[in-house]
Amino acid sequence: MSERLQPGDTAPAFTLPDADGNEVSLADHLGRKVIVYFYPTALTPGCTKQACDFTDNLEVLATAGYDVIGVSPDKPEKLAKFREKESLKVTLVSDPEKATLEAYGAYGEKKLYGKTVTGVIRSTVIVDEAGKVERALYNVKATGHVAKIIKDLGI
């Protein structure tokens, strides 16, 4: 199982395709804070709720200096369908090899309906302007998570 990140760690670099197949790199966001959130599957109820919450609060987060990137193992085509169906405004990127998910500690053993399974651990990592981990939150709930982040960050 991959190691979980701690505040002060350097955020692992990544370059992944977005819903349109364009490459998105964490390095593109140096100088701005970035909320990188990891979710299991597009077009499922919890992941849809979370993505919609980020979209609904995107302007508030952007005004406070935060960019938002959602990462899942879904292929870009599925991400595009997710974005269109739900009118999402957040940047969604595809990590089918799960290398970025593992680098961020967001892939491994988890409990699902009482069983231990291996999969995406719903997580959020907040990266500062210099590319360092400011906060790393694991096993977060899809509902209410964005409101909690906004409150915790004092936005």
Side-chain angles (χ1 to χ4, degrees), residues 46-85:
C47 297
T48 298
K49 173 78 178 119
Q50 189 177 24
C52 288
D53 280 354
F54 271 117
T55 292
D56 293 346
N57 289 286
L58 201 55
E59 202 169 306
V60 170
L61 291 165
T63 301
Y66 291 88
D67 295 333
V68 179
I69 302 172
V71 182
S72 80
D74 296 312
K75 298 254 186 282
E77 302 77 31
K78 186 171 181 184
L79 297 178
K81 195 180 295 180
F82 186 33
R83 182 186 62 198
E84 303 314 315
K85 182 175 187 286

Coordinates of all heavy atoms in Angstrom, one line a residue, residues 46-85:
G46 N -22.1 9.2 -5.3 CA -21.2 9.9 -4.4 C -20.2 10.8 -5.1 O -20.0 11.9 -4.8
C47 N -19.6 10.2 -6.2 CA -18.6 11.0 -7.0 C -19.3 12.1 -7.7 O -18.7 13.2 -7.9 CB -17.9 10.0 -7.9 SG -16.9 8.8 -7.1
T48 N -20.5 11.9 -8.1 CA -21.3 13.0 -8.8 C -21.5 14.1 -7.8 O -21.3 15.3 -8.1 CB -22.6 12.5 -9.4 OG1 -22.3 11.5 -10.4 CG2 -23.4 13.6 -10.0
K49 N -22.0 13.8 -6.6 CA -22.3 14.8 -5.5 C -21.0 15.6 -5.2 O -21.1 16.8 -5.2 CB -22.7 14.0 -4.3 CG -22.9 14.9 -3.1 CD -24.2 15.7 -3.1 CE -24.4 16.6 -1.9 NZ -24.5 18.0 -2.2
Q50 N -19.9 14.9 -5.1 CA -18.6 15.6 -4.8 C -18.2 16.5 -5.9 O -17.9 17.7 -5.7 CB -17.6 14.5 -4.5 CG -16.3 15.1 -3.9 CD -15.3 14.1 -3.6 OE1 -15.3 13.0 -4.1 NE2 -14.3 14.4 -2.7
A51 N -18.3 16.0 -7.1 CA -17.9 16.9 -8.3 C -18.8 18.1 -8.4 O -18.3 19.2 -8.8 CB -17.9 16.0 -9.6
C52 N -20.1 17.9 -8.2 CA -21.0 19.0 -8.3 C -20.8 20.0 -7.2 O -20.8 21.2 -7.4 CB -22.5 18.5 -8.2 SG -23.0 17.6 -9.8
D53 N -20.4 19.5 -6.0 CA -20.1 20.4 -4.9 C -18.9 21.3 -5.2 O -18.8 22.5 -5.0 CB -19.8 19.7 -3.6 CG -21.1 19.2 -2.9 OD1 -22.2 19.6 -3.3 OD2 -21.0 18.5 -1.8
F54 N -17.9 20.6 -5.8 CA -16.7 21.4 -6.2 C -17.0 22.4 -7.3 O -16.6 23.6 -7.2 CB -15.5 20.5 -6.7 CG -14.6 20.0 -5.6 CD1 -14.5 18.7 -5.2 CD2 -13.9 20.9 -4.8 CE1 -13.7 18.2 -4.2 CE2 -13.0 20.5 -3.8 CZ -12.9 19.2 -3.5
T55 N -17.8 22.0 -8.3 CA -18.3 22.9 -9.3 C -19.0 24.1 -8.8 O -18.8 25.2 -9.1 CB -19.1 22.2 -10.4 OG1 -18.2 21.2 -11.1 CG2 -19.7 23.1 -11.4
D56 N -20.0 23.8 -7.8 CA -20.8 24.9 -7.2 C -20.0 25.9 -6.4 O -20.4 27.0 -6.3 CB -21.9 24.3 -6.3 CG -22.9 23.4 -7.1 OD1 -23.0 23.6 -8.3 OD2 -23.7 22.7 -6.5
N57 N -18.8 25.4 -5.9 CA -18.0 26.3 -5.1 C -16.7 26.7 -5.8 O -15.8 27.3 -5.2 CB -17.7 25.6 -3.8 CG -18.9 25.5 -2.9 OD1 -19.3 26.4 -2.3 ND2 -19.4 24.3 -2.8
L58 N -16.6 26.5 -7.1 CA -15.4 26.7 -7.8 C -15.0 28.2 -7.8 O -13.9 28.6 -7.6 CB -15.5 26.2 -9.3 CG -14.2 26.0 -10.0 CD1 -13.3 25.0 -9.3 CD2 -14.5 25.5 -11.4
E59 N -16.0 29.1 -8.0 CA -15.7 30.5 -8.0 C -15.2 31.0 -6.6 O -14.2 31.8 -6.6 CB -17.0 31.3 -8.3 CG -16.7 32.6 -8.9 CD -18.0 33.3 -9.5 OE1 -18.6 32.7 -10.4 OE2 -18.2 34.4 -9.1
V60 N -15.8 30.5 -5.5 CA -15.4 30.9 -4.2 C -13.9 30.4 -4.0 O -13.1 31.2 -3.5 CB -16.3 30.2 -3.1 CG1 -15.7 30.3 -1.7 CG2 -17.7 30.8 -3.2
L61 N -13.6 29.2 -4.4 CA -12.3 28.6 -4.2 C -11.3 29.4 -5.1 O -10.2 29.7 -4.7 CB -12.3 27.1 -4.6 CG -13.0 26.2 -3.6 CD1 -13.3 24.9 -4.2 CD2 -12.3 26.1 -2.3
A62 N -11.7 29.7 -6.4 CA -10.8 30.4 -7.3 C -10.5 31.8 -6.8 O -9.3 32.2 -6.8 CB -11.4 30.4 -8.7
T63 N -11.5 32.5 -6.3 CA -11.3 33.8 -5.7 C -10.3 33.8 -4.6 O -9.5 34.7 -4.4 CB -12.6 34.4 -5.3 OG1 -13.5 34.4 -6.4 CG2 -12.5 35.8 -4.7
A64 N -10.3 32.7 -3.8 CA -9.4 32.5 -2.7 C -8.0 32.0 -3.1 O -7.1 31.8 -2.3 CB -10.0 31.6 -1.6
G65 N -7.8 31.8 -4.4 CA -6.5 31.4 -5.0 C -6.3 29.9 -5.2 O -5.2 29.5 -5.3
Y66 N -7.4 29.1 -5.2 CA -7.3 27.7 -5.3 C -7.8 27.2 -6.7 O -8.9 27.6 -7.1 CB -8.1 27.0 -4.2 CG -7.6 27.1 -2.9 CD1 -8.0 28.2 -2.1 CD2 -6.7 26.2 -2.3 CE1 -7.4 28.3 -0.8 CE2 -6.2 26.3 -1.1 CZ -6.5 27.4 -0.3 OH -6.0 27.6 1.0
D67 N -7.0 26.3 -7.3 CA -7.5 25.6 -8.5 C -7.9 24.2 -8.0 O -7.5 23.8 -6.9 CB -6.3 25.5 -9.5 CG -5.9 26.8 -10.1 OD1 -6.7 27.7 -10.1 OD2 -4.7 26.9 -10.5
V68 N -8.8 23.6 -8.7 CA -9.3 22.3 -8.4 C -9.1 21.3 -9.5 O -9.4 21.5 -10.6 CB -10.8 22.3 -8.0 CG1 -11.3 20.9 -7.6 CG2 -11.1 23.3 -6.9
I69 N -8.5 20.1 -9.1 CA -8.3 19.0 -10.1 C -8.8 17.7 -9.5 O -8.4 17.4 -8.4 CB -6.8 18.8 -10.4 CG1 -6.2 20.1 -11.0 CG2 -6.6 17.7 -11.4 CD1 -4.7 20.1 -11.2
G70 N -9.7 17.1 -10.2 CA -10.2 15.8 -9.8 C -9.5 14.7 -10.5 O -9.4 14.7 -11.8
V71 N -9.1 13.6 -9.8 CA -8.4 12.5 -10.4 C -9.1 11.2 -10.2 O -9.5 10.9 -9.0 CB -6.9 12.4 -9.8 CG1 -6.1 11.3 -10.5 CG2 -6.2 13.7 -9.9
S72 N -9.3 10.4 -11.3 CA -9.9 9.1 -11.1 C -9.2 8.2 -12.1 O -8.6 8.7 -13.1 CB -11.4 9.1 -11.3 OG -11.7 9.2 -12.7
P73 N -9.4 6.9 -12.0 CA -8.9 6.0 -13.0 C -9.7 5.9 -14.3 O -9.3 5.1 -15.2 CB -8.8 4.6 -12.3 CG -9.7 4.7 -11.1 CD -9.9 6.2 -10.8
D74 N -10.8 6.6 -14.4 CA -11.6 6.6 -15.6 C -10.9 7.1 -16.8 O -10.0 8.0 -16.7 CB -12.9 7.5 -15.3 CG -13.8 7.0 -14.2 OD1 -14.1 5.8 -14.2 OD2 -14.1 7.8 -13.4
K75 N -11.2 6.6 -17.9 CA -10.7 7.1 -19.2 C -11.2 8.5 -19.6 O -12.3 8.8 -19.1 CB -11.1 6.1 -20.3 CG -10.5 4.7 -20.1 CD -9.4 4.4 -21.0 CE -8.9 3.0 -21.0 NZ -8.1 2.6 -19.9
P76 N -10.5 9.3 -20.3 CA -10.9 10.6 -20.7 C -12.3 10.6 -21.3 O -13.1 11.6 -21.0 CB -9.9 11.1 -21.7 CG -8.6 10.4 -21.3 CD -9.1 9.0 -20.9
E77 N -12.7 9.6 -22.1 CA -14.0 9.6 -22.7 C -15.1 9.6 -21.7 O -16.1 10.3 -21.8 CB -14.2 8.4 -23.7 CG -13.2 8.3 -24.8 CD -11.8 7.8 -24.3 OE1 -11.7 7.0 -23.4 OE2 -10.8 8.2 -24.9
K78 N -14.9 8.8 -20.6 CA -15.9 8.7 -19.5 C -15.9 10.0 -18.8 O -17.0 10.5 -18.4 CB -15.6 7.5 -18.6 CG -16.7 7.3 -17.6 CD -16.5 6.1 -16.8 CE -17.6 5.8 -15.8 NZ -17.4 4.7 -14.9
L79 N -14.8 10.7 -18.6 CA -14.7 12.0 -17.9 C -15.5 13.0 -18.7 O -16.2 13.8 -18.1 CB -13.3 12.4 -17.7 CG -12.4 11.5 -16.8 CD1 -11.0 12.0 -16.7 CD2 -13.0 11.3 -15.4
A80 N -15.3 13.0 -20.0 CA -16.1 13.9 -20.9 C -17.6 13.7 -20.7 O -18.3 14.7 -20.6 CB -15.6 13.8 -22.3
K81 N -18.0 12.5 -20.7 CA -19.4 12.2 -20.5 C -19.9 12.7 -19.2 O -21.0 13.3 -19.1 CB -19.6 10.7 -20.7 CG -21.1 10.2 -20.9 CD -21.2 8.7 -21.0 CE -20.5 8.2 -22.2 NZ -20.7 6.7 -22.3
F82 N -19.1 12.5 -18.1 CA -19.4 12.9 -16.8 C -19.6 14.4 -16.7 O -20.5 15.0 -16.2 CB -18.3 12.4 -15.9 CG -18.5 12.6 -14.4 CD1 -19.7 12.6 -13.8 CD2 -17.3 12.8 -13.6 CE1 -19.8 12.7 -12.4 CE2 -17.5 13.0 -12.2 CZ -18.7 12.9 -11.6
R83 N -18.6 15.1 -17.3 CA -18.6 16.6 -17.4 C -19.8 17.1 -18.1 O -20.5 18.0 -17.6 CB -17.3 17.1 -18.0 CG -17.2 18.6 -18.1 CD -16.0 19.0 -18.9 NE -16.2 18.6 -20.3 CZ -15.2 18.5 -21.1 NH1 -14.0 18.8 -20.8 NH2 -15.4 18.1 -22.4
E84 N -20.2 16.5 -19.2 CA -21.3 17.0 -20.0 C -22.6 16.7 -19.2 O -23.5 17.6 -19.1 CB -21.4 16.3 -21.4 CG -20.1 16.5 -22.2 CD -19.6 17.9 -22.3 OE1 -20.4 18.8 -22.5 OE2 -18.4 18.1 -22.2
K85 N -22.8 15.5 -18.8 CA -24.0 15.1 -18.1 C -24.3 15.9 -16.9 O -25.5 16.3 -16.6 CB -24.0 13.6 -17.7 CG -25.2 13.1 -17.1 CD -25.1 11.6 -16.8 CE -26.4 11.0 -16.3 NZ -26.8 11.3 -15.0

